Amino acid sequence: MSNVVSFLQQFAILFIELTLLFIVISFIVSLIQQKVTEEQIKQILHRPNKWSGYLYGTGLGALTPFCSCSTIPILAGLLSSKAPFGPSMSFLVASPLLNPVMIILLVTFLGWKITVFYFVIVWVFAMIIGFVWEKSGFHIYVKDVQVRRKKSTENQPAIPKWKLALQDVWSFFVPVLPFLVLGVFIGAFIYNFVPESLIIQIAGSDKPWTIPIASVIGIPMYIRAEVMLPIGDALITKGMGVGAVIALLIGGAGASLPEVVLLSKLFKRKLVIAFILSILFVAVLTGFMIQFIL
């Protein structure tokens, strides 16, 4: 009975915390997205210094969309308007892995030390992947996709930015709500009902093979960061290695099935495979570095 009461209390606290975090972050990011247009992103990526282009591409990826649903359409628009390929790929890699929701939730569940380490490693890898892909001539594997943009009408009344941000918060939150409940439910269930010895036996921190396995499992398992991070936090508390949980998150968030499906409409098969292998490499290496250094 005490486990049931603890489960309900933990579920309620986690749900309220995540809901408030999501609403605040969504509001702030919506305001940022209203300021930064696709044309501005294209201009920023065109830098005289090549490396600064990768730096800006990664930074914009970290500031802008939440997930593949918004990342891929923006990427398609950038490539259609002849934005530089390498920095655009850095943007693609950084967007789901370094966005504000992911980072703030990582701080909430895993603390500043792991989050800063994670942020720096993924940032560097996002720049390197963009650079390597461009030098390897992978731009030839981008399909010829034409993006049609809606023409704005001058007669449309101007809506205050804060109202648009509130509308975005609502449109973001409603689809996420069922997954948020699911993630909190599973996390609270693991905390209270799954034996610690079982997690340690299967995926303890002394079992390095769990890191590459977790990176692959994350791809079909991943739904959203709001679902996975409460589960990951519960698994760590029960004895699963931090490196394996980080690999799970990077593999899933970076190469989730919806993102791969959307990219297959934009990239040819060789570039899709290169994308998946690159994300798995980042997931495994980051997992090992966090596990054995921190």
Side-chain angles (χ1 to χ4, degrees):
M1 188 66 184
S2 61
N3 279 1
V4 174
V5 173
S6 175
F7 166 79
L8 293 174
Q9 287 176 339
Q10 198 157 37
F11 177 87
I13 292 169
L14 271 175
F15 178 76
I16 292 169
E17 286 180 351
L18 285 177
T19 299
L20 291 175
L21 271 173
F22 186 85
I23 289 172
V24 172
I25 298 166
S26 299
F27 184 82
I28 294 170
V29 172
S30 176
L31 291 176
I32 293 172
Q33 288 180 315
Q34 291 177 54
K35 294 279 187 181
V36 183
T37 64
E38 187 180 296
E39 185 58 34
Q40 288 173 321
I41 293 175
K42 178 189 170 186
Q43 291 173 1
I44 291 170
L45 295 184
H46 278 287
R47 312 300 296 182
N49 184 320
K50 286 286 186 181
W51 276 108
S52 65
Y54 298 108
L55 184 67
Y56 280 107
T58 304
L60 287 168
L63 284 174
T64 45
F66 286 112
C67 63
S68 55
C69 299
S70 48
T71 302
I72 306 303
I74 289 178
L75 177 68
L78 290 173
L79 294 175
S80 178
S81 60
K82 306 302 179 186
F85 175 77
S88 296
M89 295 303 101
S90 294
F91 171 85
L92 167 68
V93 173
S95 183
L97 296 178
L98 297 177
N99 68 65
V101 172
M102 176 70 87
I103 296 304
I104 292 177
L105 289 177
L106 277 171
V107 171
T108 303
F109 288 111
L110 302 182
W112 282 103
K113 190 175 182 181
I114 290 175
T115 304
V116 169
F117 202 81
Y118 166 93
F119 187 87
V120 171
I121 294 172
V122 175
W123 184 294
V124 170
F125 273 122
M127 292 180 62
I128 291 173
I129 288 171
F131 176 78
V132 170
W133 286 8
E134 181 160 316
K135 292 302 179 184
S136 301
F138 281 3
H139 64 278
I140 64 173
Y141 300 119
V142 176
K143 294 179 180 178
D144 185 18
V145 178
Q146 299 297 322
V147 178
R148 295 181 180 179
R149 296 174 176 81
K150 292 181 180 179
K151 294 182 179 179
S152 59
T153 59
E154 296 180 0
N155 296 327
Q156 282 183 332
I159 302 175
K161 286 183 170 54
W162 66 269
K163 284 190 176 180
L164 287 173
L166 287 176
Q167 291 174 10
D168 285 343
V169 168
W170 181 251
S171 64
F172 289 146
F173 183 67
V174 171
V176 165
L177 182 58
F179 302 116
L180 187 65
V181 172
L182 176 64
V184 172
F185 178 88
I186 295 173
F189 182 87
I190 292 171
Y191 267 121
N192 291 281
F193 297 109
V194 176
E196 186 174 321
S197 57
L198 178 63
I199 300 295
I200 293 174
Q201 183 181 350
I202 296 173
S205 57
D206 61 335
K207 297 176 173 60
W209 61 80
T210 60
I211 293 175
I213 292 172
S215 69
V216 175
I217 291 174
I219 294 176
M221 181 180 174
Y222 188 86
I223 303 171
R224 294 186 67 97
E226 297 84 1
V227 179
M228 297 302 298
L229 279 163
I231 298 172
D233 181 49
L235 289 170
I236 290 171
T237 302
K238 289 291 185 176
M240 186 172 181
V242 179
V245 170
I246 292 295
L248 183 81
L249 290 172
I250 294 176
S256 64
L257 287 179
E259 183 167 12
V260 171
V261 170
L262 287 171
L263 279 177
S264 67
K265 308 295 183 185
L266 188 61
F267 293 165
K268 294 178 183 177
R269 184 178 299 175
K270 286 187 178 180
L271 189 49
V272 173
I273 293 171
F275 172 78
I276 295 171
L277 292 177
S278 297
I279 294 297
L280 290 177
F281 175 79
V282 174
V284 172
L285 196 56
T286 306
F288 276 120
M289 291 174 76
I290 286 177
Q291 184 68 48
F292 295 109
I293 292 176
L294 297 182

